[in-house]
Amino acid sequence: MNKLNGTAALILAAGISKRMGLTKQLLHLGEMPLLERVIRQVVLFPFCEIVCVVGHHAKQIRTDISIFDERFRWSVNTNYEKGQGSSLKKGMGTIHSDHVMVFLGDQPFIANDTIRSIIEEGERRGRERRRPFVVRPAFQSVPGHPVFFGNVTQIDFSTLSGDQGAKHLIRRIDDYEVIPVDDDGVILDIDTPKCYEEAKRK
């Protein structure tokens, strides 16, 4: 695939759901699986490509979740047991865009306005900058997702490992902006049975 100008979306959903004890990607929240709810929200926005990284029970997830959007594709991380860092590395290796906005597959309550504001700020900076940068939301001073990585071809994702995601990479990027938002969805992930029951009530 040729280089694409614009912003891609990367959804990380390859984990083994150890704390949940079940395949949380397929737990129903309302009328659809949790992961499908996240994907369907992401496709509402004008990303030039959308990649969802799966690993644990990847075949079942891809069978049970159908997304009909020409921008969307699955990516399978066979090293998912090594943690989120391996999924981020896998996903970034399949992206062909200038910028990438990273979502987590277990965060279904992020407000559309929050996503829109991060996209707009990230793309505004992308028009002005040629070096790597990061934009992310924070609720009550706690950084959350989605995280916008700008000029990703200049970021070395090959060093990612373990379950810490991109934390150490972000610390190396000087151009880092946190946008305060009144949206607790940016830090709410569904990773335990208790969280799932609360999510169903919400």
Side-chain angles (χ1 to χ4, degrees), residues 7 10 46 54 59 67 72 80 83 85 102 105-106 114 137 141 161 164 168 173-174 177 179 185-186 194 201:
T7 302
L10 177 60
V54 290
K59 183 177 180 179
I67 303 296
F72 179 82
Y80 63 87
V102 178
D106 61 358
T114 297
S141 299
S161 63
Q164 295 303 307
H168 77 283
I173 298 174
D174 295 332
E177 177 74 14
I179 298 179
V186 303
K194 181 180 179 181
R201 288 193 293 271

Side-chain angles (χ1 to χ4, degrees), residues 10 51 53-54 75-78 85-95 157 160:
L10 177 60
V51 177
V53 180
V54 290
S75 177
V76 178
N77 175 21
T78 57
S86 69
S87 292
L88 183 55
K89 178 165 61 176
K90 173 69 174 181
M92 286 294 185
T94 71
I95 294 291
F157 291 95
L160 288 170

